[in-house]
Every structure is written in C-alpha cells, then in structure tokens.
Amino acid sequence: EAQVTQNPRYLITVTGKKLTVTCSQNMNHEYMSWYRQDPGLGLRQIYYSMNVEVTDKGDVPEGYKVSRKEKRNFPLILESPSPNQTSLYFCASRPQGSGELFFGEGSRLTVL
Amino acid sequence: GENVEQHPSTLSVQEGDSAVIKCTYSDSASNYFPWYKQELGKGPQLIIDIRSNVGEKKDQRIAVTLNKTAKHFSLHITETQPEDSAVYFCAGKGGGTSYGKLTFGQGTILTVHP
C-alpha cells in the first residue's frame, strides 16, 4: 500500500530532551516536506527536500533540523525542544512535477 | 511570498444544504490551487484542485471556482452529508521566487448536522 509513515504518532517529552520524528514513504517520491498544524494557523511548512541531500527552509524552520540521506526517509529533529514546539506534525511527499501531496497520519508532540 | 486567507474558520450546515468556503491569495503568479480534506485523526487528503487556466472544475458534489482577476477561489459542496464533516484547507502554489511552494490557508471546520 502506498503510504507515508510517521513515528511516533504521539509523544510527550520535556524541554531540552532531543527527539526525532521519523518519516518514510514507499512511493519513490522526490519531494518531501514537514508541516506543523496549529489551531487558527493552518499548515505551516517547516522544511522541505526536493531530492536526496537537498533540503531547504520553509516558513517556520527555527528549532528544527532535517536530513535526507535516502530518498524514502526524511526525519525531523528537535535538538532542544521547547513548549512552543507543542504541535501536530505532518510529513508529506509528492513526485516531481506533480501537485498532489500525500500526507502521513500525523505526530502529536507535547513538550512540557 | 504567497499569502492565503481562508474563510470562514467554522461552518455549520444541515444535511442536504450547500457549503461554500472561500480563499484569497496574494501572488498573482500562483498557478495551482488544491483543496484538502482532513478527517479526525488523519492527515489531509487532496479532494479537488484547479489550475490557473481553468475557471471552474467539478467532481460529483464538489466544485471549485477560480477568479484570477480578484485572486480568490472557492470550494462548493452540494447536498452535504454527515461524512463531509471535516477540516478543509485551501492552498496556493506560488510562482516567481516562491515557485513550487504550497501555502495553506488557516482551515475551515465544517460540521454537517443530520
């Protein structure tokens, strides 16, 4: 089944404790992206990657890192999480030249 | 860069009524406008999209209209059903220096009452 898989789906952590949210897609898509969803603010792009070893900042990159060492994986790293990073995070992918984004099911992160 | 504004933030309708959600965009070079539906506990899914060379597109009970001059586009859902209840997001794909970047609206929570 074609899908974007995120882990963990739910996580409660404390300020300053490094964490990684993994994202994997099995559709051989070139483009991958991370979004955060907050009430009243919609989906805001954190980072995106046009292909392996190519990443770029989105609208709200502060406090996040990403890497794209393989085509299928695009992990989101929070080196020192803070409470303002409490949010619902979505990974998405699409093939090059296509408009349709395929989203994962989301990762709800709470930073205390 | 592109700025997309979406209204209303919440919309409540009776089953069988129509629902309309409106979005405006700022980048006149934007050329692609998708709509995503997000059901509870799920990621958003594309339900319909329109390109800038088309004024209207329909898919069964769903239609999208685009007014390039006024820089706004709308989602129309006819004969609403309880399963249409969800969060709907519009988006615009920018041109120029924002080429390829999808900017989302704030979302509309649609509730269809049986």
Side-chain angles (χ1 to χ4, degrees), chain A residues 50-92:
Chain A
M50 299 290 282
N51 214 324
V52 177
E53 300 291 0
V54 180
T55 63
D56 211 342
K57 295 177 181 178
D59 297 316
V60 288
E62 295 78 20
Y64 305 95
K65 282 174 59 177
V66 293
S67 67
R68 187 90 182 274
K69 297 192 173 95
E70 307 161 288
K71 199 171 187 179
R72 63 184 297 130
N73 296 324
F74 191 45
L76 179 70
I77 303 155
L78 286 74
E79 293 270 4
S80 182
S82 61
N84 64 12
Q85 293 178 297
T86 292
S87 188
L88 179 58
Y89 291 87
F90 286 100
C91 180

Side-chain angles (χ1 to χ4, degrees), chain A residues 9 31 35 37 40-43 45 58-59 88 90 94 97-101 103-106, chain B residues 32 34 36 38 41-46 49 51 87 89 93 100-107:
Chain A
R9 295 287 313 279
Y31 180 95
Y35 295 86
Q37 181 179 357
L41 297 177
L43 292 157
Q45 190 179 53
D59 297 316
L88 179 58
F90 286 100
R94 64 169 169 81
S98 165
E100 181 176 3
L101 277 171
F103 284 85
E105 297 214 311
Chain B
Y32 174 68
Y36 284 80
Q38 183 184 21
K42 302 282 186 184
Q45 265 193 306
L46 180 72
D49 56 15
R51 297 197 179 272
V87 181
F89 291 100
K93 195 169 186 183
K101 184 181 181 326
L102 207 57
T103 300
F104 287 87
Q106 295 81 0

Side-chain angles (χ1 to χ4, degrees), chain B residues 8-9 16 20-21 23 26-27 34 38 42 45-46 48 51-52 59 61 68 74 79-80 84 93 96 100 104 110 112:
Chain B
S9 56
V20 180
I21 303 170
C23 289
S26 61
D27 185 355
Q38 183 184 21
K42 302 282 186 184
Q45 265 193 306
L46 180 72
I48 195 167
R51 297 197 179 272
S52 57
D59 182 2
R61 296 185 298 107
K68 282 173 56 181
S74 300
E79 299 170 26
T80 53
D84 294 328
K93 195 169 186 183
F104 287 87
L110 173 64
V112 181

Side-chain angles (χ1 to χ4, degrees), chain A residues 6-22 34 64 76-83 85-89 105-112:
Chain A
Q6 298 177 224
N7 280 296
R9 295 287 313 279
Y10 302 91
L11 180 63
I12 300 174
T13 190
V14 294
T15 300
K17 188 175 180 183
K18 180 180 178 179
L19 69 93
T20 299
V21 186
T22 63
W34 276 102
Y64 305 95
L76 179 70
I77 303 155
L78 286 74
E79 293 270 4
S80 182
S82 61
Q85 293 178 297
T86 292
S87 188
L88 179 58
Y89 291 87
E105 297 214 311
S107 297
R108 185 166 290 282
L109 171 66
T110 302
V111 184
L112 301 175

Side-chain angles (χ1 to χ4, degrees), chain B residues 53-73:
Chain B
N53 58 350
V54 175
E56 183 176 1
K57 184 176 178 181
K58 284 185 182 177
D59 182 2
Q60 299 182 350
R61 296 185 298 107
I62 292 172
V64 56
T65 58
L66 171 65
N67 184 327
K68 282 173 56 181
T69 304
K71 288 193 277 188
H72 69 69
F73 57 110

